Amino acid sequence: MLGVPLMNEPRSAGPPAITINDGVRHQTIDGFGLSMAFRRNELVRALPEDKQREILELWFSREKGAGLSIVRLGIGSAPAGSPYDEMVSIQPEDPGGPDAPPAYVWDGDDNGQVWLARAAQEYGVRRFFAVAWSAPGYMKDTGQDRNGGRLRPEWRQAYANYLVQYTRFYAREGIQITDLGFANEPDWTAPYASMRFTPEEAAQFAKVLGPIASGMRVVCCESVGWTEARAYTAAIEADAEARRWVKVHTGHSYATPVDSPLPTERPTWMSEWHPNGTSWNENWYDGSGSDGFTIALAVHDALTLGQVSGYVYWLGASVGNTRALLLIDEAAKTYRVSKRLWALAAYSRFVRPGAVRLETAVAKPALKASAFRNPDGSQVVAVLNTGMAPVTWDGLHGEVAAYLTDGDESLGPVPVTDGAVTLPPRALTTIVLR
């Protein structure tokens, strides 16, 4: 156990602030990530090259940024020539029916996402999750890709083939799609690209896609809220064949937050969320509900209450009154950084794919702690002090490094003195032990 003083060290008056039990292990971590779907990469690529590189470093570098390890891609469904904020389909025109020879079109760019995937690979990212918000309109009962509607039964196989073809185009570009989703928020009708599936319909389609999605993990079902995702997970788990194919269960946090595990033994991901708000907010803690502190608490809850293996933020960057991690200033050709990025980075830079979450106990309710053992043997403890007073965690031994994220610091190094680290109030401290 960590957090217990060595026998020859003076003990504190009470139990250690945090105790980690390495013998009790929970979920394995797949990683942390972001999405730049709906052509947000066009904003970044319009910036000077040095600014583009700085942004990529903030997203993917383990030395300068968040060290993110998952990229979520959007499979387009819009007609050719669609404007910004609509992702163009790889088969924008009806080929003549579900049994007609496909008429795929590949431009090697995919709404700017090939650029992002290639850049992420340079930083070691190997997990690429592609998900469709909708099938093209001609495959649906509404005739359009937006405003909900359902996949027509006769197009099921053609739609599955379409999704697999998308991954083959990426393979041609040297990028392996590792995870493939066929629905995004299937329980909500959106005014943009969206398509409805009931839990039972999703289970049925998983049995169409699974057999042809060779070498990939089929993902379901990106529900609009975590509680709502339970019905989709339960429907998959209740069907032996669907359960065979679906390897990752996902949900979002818009309708309901992550507060408990989904009913499955498979890995689960919180695969899309950003907080509500009406303005760009760079602050760490201001009570707005869109600050960095809010993100830190949401990540903690997802990892500990929801036992998620993956956490994917929406979006990496955008414009206007966005709650993305970064704000692109198109006029000034530059960008701004929110503390939301550093709240996520306090976990993602240090907790690496393959890490295992460890059992953790705290002496003070104000501390929200989660601990992990990385594949390299290092242990990472992320501690959010939600209280108004500092707390000292003493009795640490070995090689210890600590990093602070608050209103003034963004993963700034903090001293560890005589095996003790101070956990400031309203702050996130990440401790690495080797």
Side-chain angles (χ1 to χ4, degrees):
M1 291 186 182
L2 294 171
V4 178
L6 293 175
M7 295 301 294
N8 59 351
E9 293 180 342
R11 291 182 177 270
S12 301
I18 303 164
T19 302
I20 290 84
N21 187 346
D22 193 85
V24 180
R25 303 191 172 197
H26 299 287
Q27 77 270 27
T28 299
I29 301 301
D30 291 329
F32 301 81
L34 57 73
S35 179
M36 286 291 284
F38 288 89
R39 297 166 62 171
R40 293 305 191 271
N41 291 302
E42 293 178 11
L43 303 171
V44 179
R45 294 170 73 184
L47 299 178
E49 288 189 6
D50 62 329
K51 300 300 182 185
Q52 295 180 36
R53 180 54 59 180
E54 289 171 10
I55 289 173
L56 293 170
E57 296 264 296
L58 285 168
W59 287 339
F60 301 117
S61 170
R62 292 186 63 188
E63 289 73 38
K64 299 180 180 179
L68 297 173
S69 54
I70 299 173
V71 171
R72 181 171 178 252
L73 305 166
I75 302 175
S77 54
S82 294
Y84 168 78
D85 210 29
E86 295 184 23
M87 297 182 290
V88 175
S89 168
I90 61 167
Q91 187 171 253
E93 304 296 334
D94 186 343
D99 299 320
Y104 298 124
V105 178
W106 180 246
D107 61 5
D109 182 64
D110 189 36
N111 304 285
Q113 295 181 115
V114 171
W115 170 82
L116 175 65
R118 283 179 172 158
Q121 281 187 326
E122 295 178 11
Y123 291 90
V125 175
R126 296 294 180 265
R127 202 78 186 252
F128 294 97
F129 170 31
V131 59
W133 269 247
S134 174
Y138 56 80
M139 295 186 184
K140 297 168 62 182
D141 58 7
T142 57
Q144 58 178 347
D145 73 328
R146 60 182 60 220
N147 297 312
R150 280 184 156 77
L151 182 68
R152 289 190 282 174
E154 65 269 26
W155 280 91
R156 286 175 183 162
Q157 188 62 59
Y159 179 49
N161 295 342
Y162 169 92
L163 297 173
V164 171
Q165 181 60 43
Y166 179 88
T167 71
R168 290 172 178 161
F169 283 136
Y170 266 81
R172 181 188 300 179
E173 305 299 333
I175 301 156
Q176 181 185 0
I177 301 298
T178 55
D179 303 84
L180 179 62
F182 57 87
N184 177 79
E185 297 179 354
D187 48 352
W188 188 57
T189 297
Y192 45 83
S194 55
M195 185 167 66
R196 302 296 294 252
F197 284 93
T198 66
E200 293 71 25
E201 288 169 340
Q204 291 302 314
F205 187 77
K207 294 187 287 189
V208 178
L209 178 60
I212 64 171
S214 178
M216 289 173 284
R217 303 170 187 86
V218 174
V219 178
C220 188
C221 283
E222 305 284 277
S223 184
V224 71
W226 196 253
T227 297
E228 293 75 7
R230 298 180 69 85
Y232 289 87
T233 299
I236 298 286
E237 289 292 312
D239 186 313
E241 187 179 353
R243 185 171 68 247
R244 172 187 176 190
W245 299 114
V246 175
K247 306 296 186 183
V248 180
H249 292 262
T250 56
H252 298 172
S253 300
Y254 297 112
T256 49
V258 182
D259 58 4
S260 60
L262 294 181
T264 178
E265 297 299 317
R266 300 282 196 187
T268 62
W269 291 7
M270 197 305 295
S271 55
E272 184 188 316
W273 178 71
H274 66 59
N276 292 325
T278 58
S279 63
W280 168 251
N281 182 4
E282 298 179 12
N283 296 331
W284 167 251
Y285 182 80
D286 58 16
S288 66
S290 63
D291 53 20
F293 188 90
T294 297
I295 303 306
L297 185 57
V299 174
H300 168 82
D301 286 350
L303 292 167
T304 59
L305 302 181
Q307 298 187 34
V308 304
S309 293
Y311 195 98
V312 183
Y313 194 84
W314 181 265
L315 293 151
S318 194
V319 291
N321 295 329
T322 181
R323 269 76 64 203
L325 302 176
L326 307 178
L327 172 68
I328 304 298
D329 187 329
E330 295 177 284
K333 297 292 184 182
T334 188
Y335 63 92
R336 300 181 68 89
V337 183
S338 170
K339 282 289 184 175
R340 290 184 292 271
L341 172 87
W342 296 109
L344 183 59
Y347 294 88
S348 58
R349 182 191 287 188
F350 305 99
V351 182
R352 303 309 300 165
V356 177
R357 188 172 70 86
L358 308 175
E359 183 73 8
T360 307
V362 296
K364 296 180 181 295
L367 300 182
K368 306 294 184 182
S370 54
F372 309 84
R373 180 174 289 280
N374 277 319
D376 66 1
S378 63
Q379 292 193 354
V380 178
V381 187
V383 189
L384 185 65
N385 183 353
T386 66
M388 299 301 293
V391 176
T392 298
W393 182 19
D394 58 13
L396 301 174
H397 48 84
E399 182 182 340
V400 184
Y403 306 87
L404 177 65
T405 302
D406 63 4
D408 298 319
E409 298 288 344
S410 299
L411 291 181
V414 294
V416 179
T417 306
D418 296 328
V421 60
T422 299
L423 310 171
R426 301 294 194 198
L428 177 58
T429 306
T430 308
I431 302 103
V432 182
L433 305 105
R434 301 183 185 275

